[in-house]
Amino acid sequence: MATYAVGGVEQIDLAPAFFTEAGAATAVWVRAENVAPDTVVYTKNADTETDLVPEDKDVAFITFYTPGEADTIVFGLLQHHPTIMAMLFNQEYTAATSKTTMLAKRKVANLAIRITTRSMKDGRKQIIVIPNVNITTSIVNNLSKTALQQLLLTGKVGSFKTTTTNLDAISIKTWVTDAGAVIDSTTP
Amino acid sequence: MSKVKVKFLEALFAEQTNTHYLKGAEVEIPADLAERHGKDGTGILEIIEDKPKAIKLDKAK
């Protein structure tokens, strides 16, 4: 089996969340352009373990494992795009006057995220699809002369069902060539 | 190994033979590769020359 190196971000797309593997085929993606540098972070939260050490022993008799909190994905956008804003906020946008009225009601956006990494080695890149993410959005950075206001998306990763095995899953990672072609890694 | 003629609906890179196939290419490829990516597999190619063997009909029935 071939091995790959993963790094960088070439493109991030957003779509309404879907809850089955097959949903990926029909998702309508909108590109979230101008991603803030060094902001894309996927965190896999570790499981916690608790040892039970018997009174008459000094080593654990049994260890209890508790699943960690849901994984999180965070990234910032330097650009305020009306379509993306509408996905993330409760707002009223009037295109004719370029006016956005931000409503007081908070929104948790349920979206799918597709990250295409940069080609780091051997002309290959990875496409990471996270179909079910609950995203809250904050606005960070001051309105200063030397910085841009960022939309900071913080997502909790939820699950979806796989097609053939009906198992709970969180993401789909596919390696493709630089040009986006499928790679057949079967060994002869 | 038997080969079949196929048309690629998407581009494919075959790791084992280190071969790039372009989208729209009509080529002869190994049957196992064609089967893996045919309509019952990943669906990224279609077999355009598939000659099934003649079936003998049993007229007695």
Side-chain angles (χ1 to χ4, degrees):
Chain A
M1 186 184 160
T3 58
Y4 305 93
V6 183
V9 172
E10 186 180 275
Q11 189 172 331
I12 296 184
D13 303 274
L14 299 174
F18 48 91
F19 308 99
T20 59
E21 200 176 348
T26 51
V28 180
W29 299 98
V30 178
R31 184 172 175 192
E33 254 178 313
N34 293 316
V35 178
D38 295 332
T39 58
V40 187
V41 179
Y42 185 96
T43 307
K44 180 150 183 63
N45 285 314
D47 299 345
T48 55
E49 45 185 69
T50 314
D51 293 335
L52 177 60
V53 181
E55 198 59 47
D56 57 340
K57 304 267 183 177
D58 293 323
V59 293
F61 176 61
I62 193 165
T63 304
F64 299 105
Y65 290 93
T66 313
E69 285 195 19
D71 293 354
T72 58
I73 170 103
V74 176
F75 64 94
L77 293 176
L78 297 172
Q79 181 176 264
H80 296 207
H81 188 293
T83 312
I84 301 283
M85 293 284 278
M87 291 167 113
L88 300 171
F89 294 100
N90 269 319
Q91 61 167 43
E92 287 173 358
Y93 176 65
T94 315
T97 51
S98 303
K99 183 183 78 170
T100 306
T101 307
M102 309 295 289
L103 303 177
K105 178 126 183 84
R106 302 271 170 161
K107 180 170 179 177
V108 178
N110 192 209
L111 300 176
I113 299 176
R114 182 175 68 186
I115 300 170
T116 307
T117 69
R118 283 180 182 272
S119 166
M120 302 295 277
K121 189 173 172 287
D122 303 333
R124 282 143 198 226
K125 57 190 183 184
Q126 191 178 52
I127 297 174
I128 305 163
V129 177
I130 314 168
N132 179 16
V133 188
N134 281 319
I135 296 174
T136 53
T137 312
S138 52
I139 292 176
V140 292
N141 274 357
N142 297 329
L143 300 174
S144 71
K145 280 191 234 174
T146 53
L148 282 179
Q149 194 182 59
Q150 266 182 48
L151 295 177
L152 190 70
L153 288 72
T154 307
K156 280 256 182 199
V157 176
S159 68
F160 65 97
K161 292 284 187 188
T162 59
T163 300
T164 48
T165 48
N166 208 32
L167 294 170
D168 290 325
I170 52 174
S171 66
I172 305 163
K173 297 179 177 183
T174 312
W175 282 282
V176 295
T177 65
D178 240 354
V182 174
I183 299 172
D184 184 338
S185 302
T186 50
T187 45
Chain B
M1 187 184 285
S2 67
K3 289 199 166 190
V4 283
K5 194 171 183 190
V6 299
K7 180 181 181 179
F8 281 90
L9 307 173
E10 297 290 336
L12 175 79
F13 175 71
E15 183 90 31
Q16 53 175 293
T17 51
N18 202 24
T19 312
H20 286 276
Y21 297 101
L22 297 175
K23 184 179 177 179
E26 290 184 16
V27 283
E28 281 200 338
I29 61 167
D32 64 328
L33 187 68
E35 193 184 328
R36 208 156 48 239
H37 296 288
K39 70 179 194 301
D40 295 327
T42 59
I44 65 171
L45 58 78
E46 61 182 355
I47 296 166
I48 52 176
E49 193 185 57
D50 193 7
K51 291 175 189 162
K53 282 177 187 166
I55 301 163
K56 227 176 192 178
L57 291 173
D58 191 356
K59 286 177 182 174
K61 278 186 181 173

